[in-house]
mmCIF file of all heavy atoms in Angstrom:
data_model
loop_
_atom_site.group_PDB
_atom_site.id
_atom_site.type_symbol
_atom_site.label_atom_id
_atom_site.label_comp_id
_atom_site.label_asym_id
_atom_site.label_seq_id
_atom_site.Cartn_x
_atom_site.Cartn_y
_atom_site.Cartn_z
ATOM 1 N N ASN D 1 1.374 -3.825 -13.278
ATOM 2 C CA ASN D 1 1.373 -5.266 -13.504
ATOM 3 C C ASN D 1 0.282 -6.006 -12.741
ATOM 4 O O ASN D 1 0.128 -7.213 -12.872
ATOM 5 C CB ASN D 1 2.723 -5.863 -13.145
ATOM 6 C CG ASN D 1 3.843 -5.367 -14.074
ATOM 7 O OD1 ASN D 1 3.779 -5.584 -15.284
ATOM 8 N ND2 ASN D 1 4.826 -4.714 -13.498
ATOM 9 N N GLY D 2 -0.450 -5.283 -11.917
ATOM 10 C CA GLY D 2 -1.554 -5.889 -11.177
ATOM 11 C C GLY D 2 -1.162 -6.675 -9.966
ATOM 12 O O GLY D 2 -1.960 -7.445 -9.443
ATOM 13 N N HIS D 3 0.069 -6.488 -9.464
ATOM 14 C CA HIS D 3 0.540 -7.238 -8.302
ATOM 15 C C HIS D 3 0.603 -6.330 -7.096
ATOM 16 O O HIS D 3 1.014 -5.173 -7.200
ATOM 17 C CB HIS D 3 1.907 -7.853 -8.556
ATOM 18 C CG HIS D 3 1.968 -8.741 -9.775
ATOM 19 N ND1 HIS D 3 1.126 -9.824 -9.926
ATOM 20 C CD2 HIS D 3 2.736 -8.706 -10.897
ATOM 21 C CE1 HIS D 3 1.371 -10.434 -11.073
ATOM 22 N NE2 HIS D 3 2.350 -9.776 -11.689
ATOM 23 N N ALA D 4 0.223 -6.865 -5.938
ATOM 24 C CA ALA D 4 0.347 -6.141 -4.673
ATOM 25 C C ALA D 4 1.596 -6.601 -3.958
ATOM 26 O O ALA D 4 2.141 -7.668 -4.240
ATOM 27 C CB ALA D 4 -0.895 -6.379 -3.810
ATOM 28 N N PHE D 5 2.068 -5.823 -3.024
ATOM 29 C CA PHE D 5 3.148 -6.231 -2.152
ATOM 30 C C PHE D 5 2.623 -6.394 -0.723
ATOM 31 O O PHE D 5 1.432 -6.162 -0.488
ATOM 32 C CB PHE D 5 4.368 -5.286 -2.226
ATOM 33 C CG PHE D 5 4.078 -3.876 -1.733
ATOM 34 C CD1 PHE D 5 4.338 -3.514 -0.445
ATOM 35 C CD2 PHE D 5 3.595 -2.911 -2.613
ATOM 36 C CE1 PHE D 5 4.099 -2.208 0.000
ATOM 37 C CE2 PHE D 5 3.365 -1.600 -2.185
ATOM 38 C CZ PHE D 5 3.610 -1.274 -0.883
ATOM 39 N N ASP D 6 3.480 -6.782 0.161
ATOM 40 C CA ASP D 6 3.074 -7.010 1.570
ATOM 41 C C ASP D 6 2.831 -5.666 2.235
ATOM 42 O O ASP D 6 3.777 -4.987 2.655
ATOM 43 C CB ASP D 6 4.163 -7.795 2.278
ATOM 44 C CG ASP D 6 3.811 -8.103 3.718
ATOM 45 O OD1 ASP D 6 2.702 -7.712 4.178
ATOM 46 O OD2 ASP D 6 4.641 -8.725 4.422
ATOM 47 N N TRP D 7 1.552 -5.281 2.361
ATOM 48 C CA TRP D 7 1.243 -3.976 2.943
ATOM 49 C C TRP D 7 1.655 -3.840 4.383
ATOM 50 O O TRP D 7 1.866 -2.711 4.876
ATOM 51 C CB TRP D 7 -0.264 -3.720 2.835
ATOM 52 C CG TRP D 7 -0.778 -3.683 1.421
ATOM 53 C CD1 TRP D 7 -0.128 -3.156 0.337
ATOM 54 C CD2 TRP D 7 -2.012 -4.203 0.940
ATOM 55 N NE1 TRP D 7 -0.891 -3.317 -0.804
ATOM 56 C CE2 TRP D 7 -2.071 -3.930 -0.463
ATOM 57 C CE3 TRP D 7 -3.094 -4.860 1.533
ATOM 58 C CZ2 TRP D 7 -3.157 -4.305 -1.248
ATOM 59 C CZ3 TRP D 7 -4.171 -5.230 0.761
ATOM 60 C CH2 TRP D 7 -4.196 -4.968 -0.625
ATOM 61 N N SER D 8 1.867 -4.947 5.077
ATOM 62 C CA SER D 8 2.280 -4.843 6.480
ATOM 63 C C SER D 8 3.644 -4.214 6.611
ATOM 64 O O SER D 8 4.030 -3.740 7.708
ATOM 65 C CB SER D 8 2.295 -6.224 7.149
ATOM 66 O OG SER D 8 3.304 -7.055 6.607
ATOM 67 N N LEU D 9 4.435 -4.163 5.536
ATOM 68 C CA LEU D 9 5.720 -3.474 5.581
ATOM 69 C C LEU D 9 5.529 -1.983 5.870
ATOM 70 O O LEU D 9 6.445 -1.316 6.348
ATOM 71 C CB LEU D 9 6.461 -3.636 4.258
ATOM 72 C CG LEU D 9 6.928 -5.057 3.901
ATOM 73 C CD1 LEU D 9 7.426 -5.113 2.480
ATOM 74 C CD2 LEU D 9 8.032 -5.499 4.881
ATOM 75 N N LEU D 10 4.352 -1.476 5.552
ATOM 76 C CA LEU D 10 4.030 -0.053 5.779
ATOM 77 C C LEU D 10 2.972 0.113 6.870
ATOM 78 O O LEU D 10 2.302 1.130 6.883
ATOM 79 C CB LEU D 10 3.513 0.555 4.478
ATOM 80 C CG LEU D 10 4.508 0.714 3.330
ATOM 81 C CD1 LEU D 10 3.799 1.062 2.028
ATOM 82 C CD2 LEU D 10 5.545 1.786 3.675
ATOM 83 N N ALA D 11 2.880 -0.828 7.752
ATOM 84 C CA ALA D 11 1.801 -0.797 8.758
ATOM 85 C C ALA D 11 1.765 0.533 9.501
ATOM 86 O O ALA D 11 2.711 0.909 10.188
ATOM 87 C CB ALA D 11 2.008 -1.935 9.754
ATOM 88 N N GLY D 12 0.653 1.273 9.330
ATOM 89 C CA GLY D 12 0.433 2.532 10.020
ATOM 90 C C GLY D 12 1.289 3.680 9.573
ATOM 91 O O GLY D 12 1.138 4.798 10.097
ATOM 92 N N ALA D 13 2.179 3.498 8.598
ATOM 93 C CA ALA D 13 3.140 4.536 8.241
ATOM 94 C C ALA D 13 2.480 5.783 7.662
ATOM 95 O O ALA D 13 3.026 6.870 7.785
ATOM 96 C CB ALA D 13 4.175 3.968 7.258
ATOM 97 N N GLY D 14 1.307 5.610 7.056
ATOM 98 C CA GLY D 14 0.676 6.738 6.453
ATOM 99 C C GLY D 14 0.192 7.807 7.421
ATOM 100 O O GLY D 14 -0.123 8.930 6.987
ATOM 101 N N ARG D 15 0.146 7.520 8.686
ATOM 102 C CA ARG D 15 -0.277 8.522 9.689
ATOM 103 C C ARG D 15 0.720 9.660 9.744
ATOM 104 O O ARG D 15 0.376 10.791 10.102
ATOM 105 C CB ARG D 15 -0.450 7.894 11.050
ATOM 106 C CG ARG D 15 -1.574 6.864 11.093
ATOM 107 C CD ARG D 15 -1.831 6.387 12.526
ATOM 108 N NE ARG D 15 -2.846 5.355 12.531
ATOM 109 C CZ ARG D 15 -2.585 4.059 12.485
ATOM 110 N NH1 ARG D 15 -1.338 3.642 12.441
ATOM 111 N NH2 ARG D 15 -3.561 3.159 12.477
ATOM 112 N N ASP D 16 1.975 9.401 9.433
ATOM 113 C CA ASP D 16 3.007 10.415 9.540
ATOM 114 C C ASP D 16 3.703 10.728 8.235
ATOM 115 O O ASP D 16 4.501 11.673 8.178
ATOM 116 C CB ASP D 16 4.092 9.939 10.547
ATOM 117 C CG ASP D 16 3.530 9.683 11.915
ATOM 118 O OD1 ASP D 16 2.885 10.577 12.460
ATOM 119 O OD2 ASP D 16 3.735 8.554 12.429
ATOM 120 N N SER D 17 3.439 9.966 7.191
ATOM 121 C CA SER D 17 4.220 10.096 5.958
ATOM 122 C C SER D 17 3.314 10.244 4.747
ATOM 123 O O SER D 17 2.348 9.502 4.599
ATOM 124 C CB SER D 17 5.094 8.848 5.785
ATOM 125 O OG SER D 17 5.840 8.576 6.966
ATOM 126 N N PRO D 18 3.612 11.186 3.861
ATOM 127 C CA PRO D 18 2.727 11.483 2.725
ATOM 128 C C PRO D 18 3.043 10.655 1.494
ATOM 129 O O PRO D 18 3.136 11.172 0.386
ATOM 130 C CB PRO D 18 3.021 12.960 2.485
ATOM 131 C CG PRO D 18 4.464 13.108 2.832
ATOM 132 C CD PRO D 18 4.693 12.195 4.022
ATOM 133 N N PHE D 19 3.185 9.344 1.629
ATOM 134 C CA PHE D 19 3.433 8.521 0.441
ATOM 135 C C PHE D 19 2.122 8.204 -0.250
ATOM 136 O O PHE D 19 1.050 8.319 0.308
ATOM 137 C CB PHE D 19 4.207 7.232 0.826
ATOM 138 C CG PHE D 19 3.424 6.310 1.730
ATOM 139 C CD1 PHE D 19 2.514 5.404 1.236
ATOM 140 C CD2 PHE D 19 3.609 6.354 3.117
ATOM 141 C CE1 PHE D 19 1.808 4.546 2.069
ATOM 142 C CE2 PHE D 19 2.907 5.501 3.964
ATOM 143 C CZ PHE D 19 1.992 4.603 3.421
ATOM 144 N N MET D 20 2.248 7.755 -1.492
ATOM 145 C CA MET D 20 1.112 7.258 -2.243
ATOM 146 C C MET D 20 1.254 5.736 -2.400
ATOM 147 O O MET D 20 2.362 5.273 -2.679
ATOM 148 C CB MET D 20 1.026 7.928 -3.610
ATOM 149 C CG MET D 20 -0.154 7.471 -4.458
ATOM 150 S SD MET D 20 -0.414 8.508 -5.941
ATOM 151 C CE MET D 20 -1.352 9.866 -5.215
ATOM 152 N N LEU D 21 0.195 5.004 -2.199
ATOM 153 C CA LEU D 21 0.236 3.545 -2.244
ATOM 154 C C LEU D 21 -0.282 3.080 -3.576
ATOM 155 O O LEU D 21 -1.356 3.500 -4.048
ATOM 156 C CB LEU D 21 -0.609 2.961 -1.109
ATOM 157 C CG LEU D 21 -0.615 1.434 -0.993
ATOM 158 C CD1 LEU D 21 0.776 0.932 -0.626
ATOM 159 C CD2 LEU D 21 -1.644 0.991 0.053
ATOM 160 N N SER D 22 0.443 2.151 -4.187
ATOM 161 C CA SER D 22 0.046 1.575 -5.460
ATOM 162 C C SER D 22 0.375 0.102 -5.465
ATOM 163 O O SER D 22 0.858 -0.437 -4.488
ATOM 164 C CB SER D 22 0.765 2.303 -6.612
ATOM 165 O OG SER D 22 0.290 1.915 -7.871
ATOM 166 N N GLY D 23 0.088 -0.553 -6.593
ATOM 167 C CA GLY D 23 0.459 -1.947 -6.740
ATOM 168 C C GLY D 23 -0.690 -2.897 -6.470
ATOM 169 O O GLY D 23 -0.926 -3.280 -5.311
ATOM 170 N N GLY D 24 -1.387 -3.317 -7.496
ATOM 171 C CA GLY D 24 -2.416 -4.328 -7.353
ATOM 172 C C GLY D 24 -3.673 -3.911 -6.600
ATOM 173 O O GLY D 24 -4.461 -4.769 -6.214
ATOM 174 N N LEU D 25 -3.870 -2.624 -6.428
ATOM 175 C CA LEU D 25 -5.076 -2.150 -5.749
ATOM 176 C C LEU D 25 -6.294 -2.318 -6.669
ATOM 177 O O LEU D 25 -6.184 -2.129 -7.883
ATOM 178 C CB LEU D 25 -4.942 -0.691 -5.325
ATOM 179 C CG LEU D 25 -3.843 -0.374 -4.327
ATOM 180 C CD1 LEU D 25 -3.766 1.145 -4.103
ATOM 181 C CD2 LEU D 25 -4.049 -1.126 -3.024
ATOM 182 N N THR D 26 -7.429 -2.622 -6.082
ATOM 183 C CA THR D 26 -8.704 -2.796 -6.812
ATOM 184 C C THR D 26 -9.816 -2.234 -5.949
ATOM 185 O O THR D 26 -9.628 -1.949 -4.749
ATOM 186 C CB THR D 26 -8.976 -4.294 -7.069
ATOM 187 O OG1 THR D 26 -9.317 -4.927 -5.826
ATOM 188 C CG2 THR D 26 -7.805 -5.014 -7.748
ATOM 189 N N PRO D 27 -11.030 -2.079 -6.492
ATOM 190 C CA PRO D 27 -12.132 -1.666 -5.683
ATOM 191 C C PRO D 27 -12.411 -2.615 -4.509
ATOM 192 O O PRO D 27 -12.877 -2.195 -3.462
ATOM 193 C CB PRO D 27 -13.319 -1.652 -6.653
ATOM 194 C CG PRO D 27 -12.705 -1.457 -7.993
ATOM 195 C CD PRO D 27 -11.412 -2.178 -7.931
ATOM 196 N N GLU D 28 -12.025 -3.889 -4.702
ATOM 197 C CA GLU D 28 -12.281 -4.894 -3.664
ATOM 198 C C GLU D 28 -11.222 -4.912 -2.585
ATOM 199 O O GLU D 28 -11.469 -5.405 -1.461
ATOM 200 C CB GLU D 28 -12.347 -6.282 -4.325
ATOM 201 C CG GLU D 28 -13.506 -6.461 -5.304
ATOM 202 C CD GLU D 28 -13.278 -5.852 -6.666
ATOM 203 O OE1 GLU D 28 -12.140 -5.605 -7.044
ATOM 204 O OE2 GLU D 28 -14.303 -5.596 -7.367
#
């Protein structure tokens, strides 16, 4: 749908967790 969510909910979580991030991402 082209919408992002509040990425701060996942602040730094990717250092330990193998999730994939989606939602409103763009080259910018």
